[in-house]
Amino acid sequence: MKAENMDSTKAGRIEWLDALRALAAILVVLGHQMPEYGTPFFVFMTPIQMPLFFILTGYFFKIKSGSIREMFQYLFFRILVPWLTLSISYNIIVYCYKGDFESILSLIYSMISGSANWYMICYMIAYTVLFLVSKYVNRFDLRIICLFAVGGISLVLGYFGIAGFAKFNTALTVQIYLAFGVLLKKYKDKVLSLPWWTVGIATMIYIVFGLVTCVYYPGVNLDVNRNQYYNYVISFGMVLCGNYALVRIFEGLSRKVKIPNWIIQIGQNTLVIYLLHGIVIGWLKKFLQIVWGYMGTSDYLHGIRCYSRNYLWCNL
């Protein structure tokens, strides 16, 4: 019996898209624990990691008929307040307790400039640009052209180091990823009906481009945060091919197997996962420091400590 062409949904959500969000969140967490940029891990991870987040943002974006004021209210109450509450409220409380008001000002400046928690300020600017383009450019084709044009201009500005403050340049460049998401939403049925051999070709291109990067561009990788694209064809080719393959694979798997609930929960709470994973990792490091400090009092335990340190500490 032929399977019906429908999305696996729960409470109005598309579960395989939540699973894609979860994958992006897990890659972000892993990336923050890997200290060396330019390694094969980063080369093959970064074209999926943050681009996938923005592609999904473009997919779920709905053209707002409301005012610009309502848009800013949405960003303030749904993005800024939760983000600041989870990310810096603890630090501000500690600094206030210590009377270290200079550190509070420094923290606020780092948030505004994008040097700390860059994704928040980048997302808010990127969302605002997408909102304005969608609101005032009525024709769909012209809207997509505008988004790609904004992204292209940003790449030129970024090449000359212009408009980097507050991640403004990065926010303009990601309009390209948002456009990919908008296109995916409009043409989803056509994309999902493409033959499966296209997934194989896309995967092969992704792998070949990644290997070319490792050989001919050693020590570098795509970096959305720094607006770093070492080769535009390879960088955006990997983004397009890699995420297309993932979309097809995850949607196909959702027809065959049930997506575990814990993966869906991660996908539905990516903001919490992203902001709190650093605290959890920090606590785990402190715990390991205490344990290893105790183990150092015994020659036998000291050997275990040194052995485990090589495998655990470098990855946390």
Side-chain angles (χ1 to χ4, degrees):
M1 182 176 179
K2 186 176 180 180
E4 295 183 5
N5 184 17
M6 63 175 61
D7 295 318
S8 176
T9 60
K10 185 177 182 179
R13 298 183 67 100
I14 303 176
E15 293 185 351
W16 62 269
L17 288 175
D18 283 332
L20 279 174
R21 283 183 187 269
L23 173 65
I26 292 171
L27 289 178
V28 169
V29 172
L30 290 176
H32 284 175
Q33 313 315 318
M34 300 293 180
E36 296 183 8
Y37 265 39
T39 61
F41 174 81
F42 278 104
V43 169
F44 285 96
M45 177 196 69
T46 51
I48 293 172
Q49 188 190 46
M50 296 310 301
L52 180 55
F53 267 125
F54 285 109
I55 289 172
L56 292 176
T57 298
Y59 180 93
F60 287 110
F61 179 82
K62 296 180 180 179
I63 299 177
K64 308 293 183 181
S65 59
S67 65
I68 296 178
R69 178 183 177 182
E70 291 174 334
M71 183 269 296
F72 280 116
Q73 287 177 339
Y74 162 78
L75 290 176
F76 181 80
F77 291 107
R78 296 289 300 274
I79 304 299
L80 184 62
V81 172
W83 194 288
L84 294 181
T85 301
L86 291 172
S87 61
I88 68 172
S89 57
Y90 173 78
N91 291 332
I92 290 180
I93 293 173
V94 172
Y95 291 147
C96 288
Y97 177 77
K98 294 180 178 179
D100 189 359
F101 298 105
E102 183 177 347
S103 294
I104 295 178
L105 294 176
S106 177
L107 180 62
I108 293 175
Y109 175 81
S110 65
M111 296 288 292
I112 296 174
S113 66
S115 58
N117 285 335
W118 70 272
Y119 182 74
M120 180 192 70
I121 188 70
C122 176
Y123 177 88
M124 294 180 68
I125 296 174
Y127 188 94
T128 301
V129 173
L130 178 60
F131 174 88
L132 293 175
V133 171
S134 300
K135 184 176 179 63
Y136 294 109
V137 181
N138 295 324
R139 283 181 51 182
F140 179 81
D141 54 347
L142 292 180
R143 194 181 311 147
I144 296 300
I145 291 174
C146 285
L147 294 177
F148 279 117
V150 169
I153 293 172
S154 177
L155 290 174
V156 175
L157 295 177
Y159 180 81
F160 293 102
I162 302 174
F165 184 80
K167 296 300 175 183
F168 186 77
N169 221 333
T170 300
L172 296 184
T173 301
V174 301
Q175 299 302 315
I176 296 174
Y177 305 138
L178 295 172
F180 286 158
V182 173
L183 286 169
L184 175 62
K185 178 66 175 293
K186 183 173 181 62
Y187 300 108
K188 183 181 70 171
D189 292 338
K190 293 183 178 180
V191 171
L192 297 180
S193 64
L194 290 173
W196 275 98
W197 59 261
T198 60
V199 178
I201 297 239
T203 303
M204 289 178 60
I205 294 175
Y206 186 84
I207 294 173
V208 170
F209 278 2
L211 293 176
V212 169
T213 300
C214 294
V215 174
Y216 293 99
Y217 299 92
V220 299
N221 54 260
L222 183 153
D223 191 332
V224 175
N225 177 14
R226 300 174 184 175
N227 208 27
Q228 173 180 295
Y229 299 88
Y230 53 93
N231 180 296
Y232 295 138
V233 173
I234 293 177
S235 296
F236 288 107
M238 290 186 72
V239 169
L240 188 59
C241 291
N243 286 286
Y244 164 70
L246 284 175
V247 165
R248 295 298 309 279
I249 291 171
F250 273 62
E251 190 275 337
L253 286 176
S254 69
R255 299 170 179 266
K256 305 295 183 181
V257 298
K258 178 175 175 57
I259 300 174
N261 187 61
W262 65 271
I263 293 179
I264 296 174
Q265 290 301 316
I266 292 177
Q268 294 177 358
N269 298 279
T270 53
L271 176 63
V272 176
I273 299 297
Y274 176 76
L275 291 175
L276 297 186
H277 83 272
I279 298 176
V280 175
I281 292 296
W283 287 345
L284 183 56
K285 282 184 176 180
K286 291 181 180 179
F287 171 76
L288 292 176
Q289 285 177 332
I290 294 173
V291 172
W292 284 331
Y294 171 77
M295 292 172 70
T297 60
S298 165
D299 291 339
Y300 174 73
L301 294 178
H302 178 69
I304 299 177
R305 171 178 176 264
C306 293
Y307 180 80
S308 60
R309 188 183 187 91
N310 291 332
Y311 287 90
L312 293 177
W313 186 254
C314 292
N315 292 322
L316 293 177

